[in-house]
């Protein structure tokens, strides 16, 4: 935190360096001596896990880029990586599954923030920077998925870039500008590759700001009560490092299970067929991590409104620090908020399922129900409308009102005050 | 209040779970038959004999129409492949690979005259395609293009079981009365399709499956196996499907082998980290 630095250079070289560029002091103050709340649980290990994911994507990505070809040879070059490059299959499966792992981690990380009120003062900027990282991640993953130039790459790119065409006046010029022509084609692929290489480094830059903001405000903790004295904190090293390390290792086990035993489980079979602009696949579905937003998009019949709703769903996250009126940070002491939060998670999962199905498919097979407006009530489009309504209500109605009307439980005086669940032996 | 909302959440959860049931679309097909594969599960590996038999079926039957552009001859001699033998460190030096490649005629250019020529294949060459281009493929197959087989087993839901099912004796059925097929079309219950347009019977009983432009490619004794296995249609279908899975995922054996080492390493490492974690936090409440 912003306290006094306790770093003491031990050797002549480090003393010399410390007077000129105190990098070791920075590292010492940020990752060794840095005080962390002693009651952090495993939900707090996902920040470290996310840094690991970014590192893995950048390293494997750079190796892939050494063998990947943009243009008509794109699809074959990915297969060249899979078949001829030494351990190329491993690099590619790590990169492809790594994107999914990255999103698993970021969703847990964000829900953690939502539950424990980590976006509230004094951490608003920290939260906003996180939202920027999330946006950049989505852009990166979307463009990365286009690179292998399979059927889903191509048709996914087409569906998503066409969304911009819904904007009035500027829509058409923007899509042509994005495509670099009049259709999704090799020029589009070429610029996506360039941007897919660039954006992860922009993410890395914003991550540095994110951690800087973290170290100014200090970490939140499960009680939401700010640390008041030394008794509330422990040093980052060894306490947080070893806990983060253990959690990362567990995460890597799950990661390795996918890479080595289920490498294509999260992908779509159609992406092993080369892109063909003349043959539309029967179901165009994005990667699982975009499905909730895809469901919101399709819940609304008007294309422009759908696009706005989809971006609005993300805008809610940005606005959250100013939508929440609660004085209490952690939902641990907000029983009502806890319940609405659980329903929020369910709504997001339901939206995900809706995104994977054709809008007119029946939710309960064989059940005939009545027609409401444009669709049968027993259809995924109606289910996604209900879930999307809850999604927006959670941010725009429930969160602001609940903070004013609920009666929270008693909040502890300090972190160390309540009997901690694991007392010292 | 608490109870009410929990019930609500549970109800939504059930709805969510229901939603996992497979996508029901306008197209229908039978689920691929269950087949036992040697490469199933975390320890399963390719059965080299089966790959050799499947290669023979591909070469003598399927390759008349289906290309396999991404597969090189020398891949056949890589670890896990049909011709692999540990004593040949480089698969390009494997005599089976060399002999196999030599039997193919590959398009090339005479560097002295610039003329187009054919020359015998080398291990580095890929399987040559049966048709010069898509138009030729279409013209010979009633307007349909036989898909390239390099990745077919990964490019279809159901993978090798789907391929097996299509070409097994269970796939092709005589079209039920009321289903009108155009010449060159065949009815196959495993082929995804929507037959409502071609169906004149009860609209609630549209036959499951679809039409396929490929005539039934397999029959009993379509090939003669070198290892003495009886070449029933079922055996041929299984063998070629297993071979095509190898063609799509040739590094599968290596992947699982390395995976095992990685998992053991990670489990031990995680255990050690847990012990250190317990020790470090022992005297701190949290
Ligand atoms: C934020 C970090 C990153 C994310 C989330 C990400 C995501 C993705 C995704 C989803 C794919 C498609 C995988 C597939 O199905 O084949 C992909 C492909 C690719 N990425 Fe990345 N990526 C990241 C960073 C990078 C970096 C830093 C580079 C290079 C410097 C890179 C280079 C590539 C290349 C060459 C491909 C095409 C090869 C392939 O499809 O396997 N990526 N990326």
């Amino acid at each position: 935190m912003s306290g006094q630095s306790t770093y003491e250079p031990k050797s002549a070289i480090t003393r010399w360096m410390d007077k000129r560029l105190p990098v070791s002091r920075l590292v010492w103050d940020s990752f060794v001596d840095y005080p962390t709340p002693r009651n952090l649980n495993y939900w707090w290990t996902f920040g470290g896990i996310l840094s690991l994911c970014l590192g893995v994507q950048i390293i494997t990505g750079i190796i892939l880029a050494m063998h990947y070809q943009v243009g008509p040879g794109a699809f074959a070059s990915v297969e060249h990586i899979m078949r001829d490059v030494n351990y190329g299959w491993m690099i590619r499966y790590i990169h492809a599954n790594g994107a999914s792992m990255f999103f698993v981690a970021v969703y847990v990380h964000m829900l953690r923030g939502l539950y424990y009120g980590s976006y509230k003062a004094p951490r608003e900027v920290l939260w906003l920077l996180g939202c920027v990282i999330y946006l950049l991640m989505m852009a990166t993953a979307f463009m990365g998925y286009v690179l292998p130039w399979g059927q889903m790459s191509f048709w996914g790119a087409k569906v998503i870039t066409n969304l911009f065409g819904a904007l009035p006046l500027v829509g058409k010029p923007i899509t042509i500008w994005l495509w670099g022509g009049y259709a999704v084609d090799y020029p589009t692929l070429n610029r996506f590759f360039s941007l897919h290489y660039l954006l992860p480094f922009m993410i890395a830059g914003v991550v540095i700001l994110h951690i800087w903001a973290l170290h100014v405000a200090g970490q939140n903790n499960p009680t939401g009560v700010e640390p008041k004295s030394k008794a509330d904190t422990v040093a980052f090293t060894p306490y947080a490092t070893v806990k983060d390390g253990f959690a990362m290792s567990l995460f890597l086990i799950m990661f390795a299970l996918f890479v080595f035993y289920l490498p294509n489980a999260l992908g779509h079979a159609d992406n092993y067929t080369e892109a063909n602009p003349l043959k539309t696949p029967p179901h165009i579905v994005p990667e699982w991590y975009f499905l909730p937003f895809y469901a919101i998009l399709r819940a609304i019949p008007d294309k422009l409104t759908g696009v706005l709703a989809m971006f609005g769903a993300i805008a809610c996250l940005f606005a959250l620090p100013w939508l929440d009126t609660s004085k209490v940070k952690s939902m641990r002491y907000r029983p009502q908020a806890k319940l609405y939060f659980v329903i929020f998670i369910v709504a997001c999962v339901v939206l995900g399922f809706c995104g994977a199905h054709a809008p007119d498919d029946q939710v309960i097979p064989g059940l005939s129900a009545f027609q409401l407006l444009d669709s049968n009530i027993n259809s995924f489009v109606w289910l996604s409308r209900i879930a999307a309504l809850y999604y927006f209500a959670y941010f725009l109605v429930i969160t602001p009102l609940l903070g004013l009307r609920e009666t929270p439980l008693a909040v502890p005086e300090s972190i160390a005050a309540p009997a901690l669940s694991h007392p010292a032996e | 209040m608490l109870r009410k909302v929990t019930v609500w959440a549970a109800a939504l959860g059930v709805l969510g779970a229901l939603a996992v049931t497979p996508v029901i679309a306008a197209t229908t097909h039978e689920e691929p038959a269950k087949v036992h594969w040697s490469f199933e599960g975390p320890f399963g590996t390719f059965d080299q004999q089966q790959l050799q038999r499947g290669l023979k079926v591909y070469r003598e039957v399927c390759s008349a129409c289906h290309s396999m552009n991404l597969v090189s001859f020398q891949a056949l001699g890589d670890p896990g492949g049909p011709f692999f033998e540990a004593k040949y460190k480089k698969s390009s030096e494997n005599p089976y690979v060399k002999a196999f490649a030599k039997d193919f005629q590959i398009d090339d250019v005479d560097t002295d005259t610039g003329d187009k020529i054919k020359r015998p294949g080398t291990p580095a060459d890929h399987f040559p395609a049966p048709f010069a281009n898509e138009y030729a493929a279409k013209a010979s197959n009633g307007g349909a293009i036989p898909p390239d087989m390099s990745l077919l087993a990964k490019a279809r839901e159901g993978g090798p079981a789907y391929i097996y099912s299509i070409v097994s004796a269970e796939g092709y059925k005589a079209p039920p009365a009321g289903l009108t097929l155009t010449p060159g079309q065949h009815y196959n219950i495993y082929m995804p399709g929507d037959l409502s347009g071609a169906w004149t019977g009860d609209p609630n009983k549209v036959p499951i499956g679809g039409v396929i432009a490929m005539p039934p490619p397999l029959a009993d004794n379509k090939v003669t196996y070198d290892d003495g296995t009886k070449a029933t249609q079922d055996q041929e279908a299984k063998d070629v499907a297993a071979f095509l899975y190898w063609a799509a995922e040739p590094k599968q054996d290596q992947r699982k082998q390395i995976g095992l080492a990685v998992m053991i390493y990670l489990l031990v490492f995680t255990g050690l980290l847990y012990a250190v974690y317990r020790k470090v936090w022992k005297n701190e409440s949290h």
Side-chain angles (χ1 to χ4, degrees), chain A residues 54 57-58 61-62 64-65 68 78 92 95-96 99 102 140-141 144-145 147-148 193 196-197 200-201 203 289:
Chain A
L54 181 61
Q57 290 307 99
I58 290 184
I62 290 175
L64 287 174
Y68 172 78
V78 172
R92 170 163 187 253
H95 196 78
F102 209 154
T140 309
Y145 192 63
L147 302 186
F193 180 48
H196 184 69
Y197 209 136
F201 295 93
I203 294 177
Y289 36 82

Side-chain angles (χ1 to χ4, degrees), chain A residues 23-43:
Chain A
V23 270
S24 5
R25 178 179 296 274
L26 182 71
V27 170
W28 173 270
D29 291 345
S30 318
F31 301 109
V32 182
D33 193 40
Y34 178 70
T36 59
R38 62 168 63 240
N39 59 336
L40 297 187
N41 54 30
Y42 281 105
W43 300 116

